[in-house]
Amino acid sequence: MFRYKLSLLLIMGMIALAFKVDAQSSNSALIKKYQSLVSKADTSDDGFISVHMNHNKLWLEIPDSIMGRDLLIGSRVEEISSTRNAVAGQMMHNPMMVRFSQDEKSVYLHAMDTKNQMDENDPISISFDRNSMQTIMHAFTIEARNQKNNASVIEVTKLFNSQIPQISPFGGASRGKSIPEATRTISARAYSANVEIVTQMGFTGKRQQFMCSLHRSIVLLPETPMQPRLSTKKIGYYDEPKKELSSEYMDVKSYAFVKRWRIEAKKEDIKRHKNGELVEPAKPIVFYVDNSIPEKWKTYIKAGIEDWQKAFEAIGFKNAIVAKDYPVNDTSFHANDFTNSCFRYVTTEKANAMGLHWIDPRSGEILQGDVLFYHNVIKKLYQWRFAQTAAVDPAIRGNAADVDDQIMGELIRYASAHEIGHALGLKHNYRASYAYPVDSLRSPTFTKKYGTAASIMDYARNNYIAQPGDKVTSLTPPLLGTYDYFSIKWAYQPIYSAANPQEELAVLNQWIADRSKDDMYLYGPKNGKGDGTLDPSLQSESLGDDVVKASRYGAANAKIIMENLVEWTGKNQNGSLNLKGMYEAVLKQYNQYFKHTEACLGGMYEFDVISKNHPEKFQTVSRKKQKEALGFIMEELLSQYDWLSTEKLTQRMGSLAQTTMKSQGEKVSNLISRSVLVRMYTCSTMTKDPYRVNEYLGDISNYLFNVSNKKQSTAWMRNMQVEYVKGLKKLLNENSADGGHIFNNVTMADIKAELDHVHSIALKKAEKGNASLKAHFNYIKYIIEG
């Protein structure tokens, strides 16, 4: 029904193709040249497009039947000498859809626009074609013709010996000037639906020379695309955006197709599947596990991949996703070929993992997936587990090498399953952890059944809420959560009664409506909106439905860990080094609690699924909860330095005062940052019980200045007071310099009034107390008056 924009040249070329091919077939010179070219080729390989190589020159032999067909061209790194911007196996750009066309002398490579669609029977399609001419990326002279299969031969050495910006793994540009002498085509292989080309490339830049091998794939797409499924904000899937033009409406209709694999029953099993029987899919998803991964972790990685089998079994497909080792002694297997989906090991110092996929842009069908698993992610998994659970779990204490392989294996399994979720098309679901009441995470029975969040796709790690004495032993995320099962059903379950994506909508929407009363099925994207407003229920690394309460539990555990950090990290000769790394890990985890609670200040919940639990799309954080959040932050700031910089720690790590003060000042500055004050004002205009900016600033001042002289004399308190005053003064100056555009007049009046209030306090305190205290408050006067 719909078509993508076609090049006018391509249309004309296809109309006249039959005549032109006849003319070419009679050209005996081109036919004879084909025999000469093939006979002199070092290597030739037959496929849907055949390839020929001679002295590093590369020719493609493209049959006339492929002209006008939809193809993908993609690129990944095969080998590289420097991992500064890319690693082996990485693909940083989606492949692009292209088509070939030809005339008597040339073959043309067209880049296709896959975003805009139109009914070819619509009257305005004539205008659409006139205004949608496709660009020609490259033109190639036809150097020979194979009369036997009616194919044109073109040399593509220059194209593949240079970067193709649209699919370059280096972000569209090289990291330096290419070295022609170091650039050559290494290999080219042809198959029934793909061509694989590897090119060695050398570059010289300002910093260093580097070498890489780029692996390019040319893929033939199915003539009939998979039936798409329309995307929605209520479920977290990556999607492929589309725009549709129609004479039926004056606007441009925007929508998107879900990115998902083609999981469907074999024709002979459809009836059984409809009847609720388990069947194997026509084409299962296979992930090959890198043979360079240490053997002791392979079992856990494979388990993480196949954990998703349960979700597919729930919709009637068994063995829908399978993990296999890289084939040994099989020369036909190439990990970087388009046909292979791989779980790849990356030996760099980076602590990361990522799940990727290539799609058919016409339908959103995932054709190939990858997981990049970086070496140091295992260290990061250990540090998270220690910093979040060491207070309640003796088994995680010590060095990573001291921890039982089964515990580390569970963490690797979790990370593997999470990244496979991305390869299956799922986005992060930051609201999955919000589905659980905070105190339920202190329950041994609840956590054993549900883990820490309703989805493995949340950025919710281990249970930092459970307290010593709670007897919680299940401290990690679930293998798969309630939301994960539903999201697989929503995207992958066939709806046999629907003939097209529009007919599926009623069923899909009903599935969501049926589950709207249970927060375990809610989805939430990455936090942050245009005006800087934050949703406290969409916090990365948070747990539970009350971030303030959860943060209090987390901070209590952090203090226990810090008190015992020397004993729990110093079991071998690397103890001092491990102590420093784990101190930083615990401190980073503790700092997350400030970030979580800060989101309540001027925060606003937004729910795309309206239900009894959440009857309004937007709901502001209550005044009470905002004041509670500020209370937690200030109480922690005023007391934390009794335990973050103890004598036991400084004896082994040196002075921590400078680092601690810097962190302290940054947190005070955050409280009065532009983004916090803007969203607090916005929030106050939407509720009957507002927490206004003037009251908020007054509360901060009371915490900082309405204290005893004994506290005023500490370096920590004076540091925070100075940072607070500097921050307020800076806001006034910036707003004045910007012509009053940063804040409205009401907010500026509140900031000025608060500075005046602090100034009056400083005037009084500068007249009494010891010399050090007087000097301090005179400095505050100087800042305000200066």
Side-chain angles (χ1 to χ4, degrees), residues 294-361:
E295 284 296 328
K296 66 178 180 179
W297 304 137
K298 275 189 179 180
T299 300
Y300 298 102
I301 288 171
K302 290 178 183 177
I305 294 170
E306 295 186 349
D307 280 337
W308 288 94
Q309 286 185 356
K310 294 292 185 183
F312 284 102
E313 287 173 6
I315 61 170
F317 293 106
K318 63 181 178 181
N319 299 323
I321 180 167
V322 180
K324 296 182 179 181
D325 288 323
Y326 276 14
V328 179
N329 299 324
D330 182 354
T331 57
S332 66
F333 176 82
H334 301 276
N336 291 317
D337 282 5
F338 178 82
T339 51
N340 297 319
S341 298
C342 297
F343 194 103
R344 305 168 188 274
Y345 196 65
V346 181
T347 49
T348 74
E349 294 183 6
K350 190 174 184 179
N352 194 22
M354 60 179 72
L356 309 166
H357 47 251
W358 280 13
I359 68 159
D360 180 344

Side-chain angles (χ1 to χ4, degrees), residues 693-717:
V693 172
N694 63 334
E695 182 183 3
Y696 169 70
L697 294 176
D699 286 345
I700 297 176
S701 292
N702 283 335
Y703 279 112
L704 292 178
F705 293 98
N706 191 19
V707 293
S708 67
N709 280 345
K710 183 177 180 181
K711 277 198 172 182
Q712 299 278 12
S713 63
T714 65
W716 316 116
M717 178 62 79

Side-chain angles (χ1 to χ4, degrees), residues 439-642:
D439 285 328
S440 293
L441 294 172
R442 298 185 64 187
S443 163
T445 55
F446 182 91
T447 51
K448 186 175 182 179
K449 183 176 181 180
Y450 293 109
T452 57
S455 172
I456 200 170
M457 300 312 297
D458 198 344
Y459 262 5
R461 313 292 182 185
N462 309 289
N463 192 340
Y464 60 77
I465 289 173
Q467 300 292 291
D470 288 345
K471 298 181 180 179
V472 171
T473 56
S474 297
L475 297 164
T476 57
L479 296 180
L480 288 186
T482 301
Y483 167 85
D484 301 318
Y485 280 88
F486 177 59
S487 62
I488 291 296
K489 172 185 175 67
W490 187 90
Y492 284 94
Q493 180 165 312
I495 303 175
Y496 290 110
S497 60
N500 55 56
Q502 288 71 28
E503 290 184 10
E504 290 184 338
L505 286 179
V507 177
L508 295 171
N509 289 336
Q510 189 60 51
W511 288 349
I512 293 173
D514 290 343
R515 294 159 177 80
S516 62
K517 296 179 182 179
D518 190 339
D519 284 355
M520 287 192 186
Y521 295 96
L522 288 181
Y523 164 72
K526 189 174 182 179
N527 213 336
K529 302 172 179 64
D531 61 358
T533 304
L534 293 182
D535 185 334
S537 69
L538 299 179
Q539 292 291 298
S540 174
E541 310 285 354
S542 71
L543 297 177
D545 63 350
D546 184 336
V547 292
V548 180
K549 190 175 186 179
S551 295
R552 290 191 186 280
Y553 284 132
N557 279 335
K559 292 167 188 176
I560 293 172
I561 297 172
M562 280 297 192
E563 182 181 353
N564 297 279
L565 194 63
V566 173
E567 291 77 10
W568 290 354
T569 60
K571 290 187 177 181
N572 60 27
Q573 66 271 22
N574 293 320
S576 297
L577 182 61
N578 191 44
L579 173 64
K580 182 178 184 295
M582 297 316 297
Y583 177 88
E584 292 170 353
V586 176
L587 184 60
K588 185 174 181 179
Q589 177 64 29
Y590 174 66
N591 286 337
Q592 288 281 1
Y593 307 138
F594 290 90
K595 177 184 174 183
H596 295 164
T597 51
E598 187 184 297
C600 291
L601 303 173
M604 188 182 306
Y605 300 98
E606 181 179 351
F607 297 95
D608 287 313
V609 177
I610 306 303
S611 65
K612 184 178 179 181
N613 293 351
H614 311 288
E616 305 293 339
K617 182 175 176 61
F618 296 101
Q619 179 184 342
T620 59
V621 177
S622 69
R623 176 175 177 273
K624 179 181 178 182
K625 183 56 66 176
Q626 290 187 69
K627 289 176 75 72
E628 187 182 342
L630 177 63
F632 166 79
I633 292 171
M634 295 308 302
E635 289 161 15
E636 288 299 318
L637 285 175
L638 295 174
S639 65
Q640 65 179 215
Y641 299 96
D642 295 333

Side-chain angles (χ1 to χ4, degrees), residues 264-273 280-282 496:
E264 53 193 17
K266 302 170 187 175
K267 288 183 179 180
E268 62 269 24
D269 290 336
I270 290 177
K271 186 176 180 180
R272 293 175 53 217
H273 188 253
E280 293 199 355
Y496 290 110

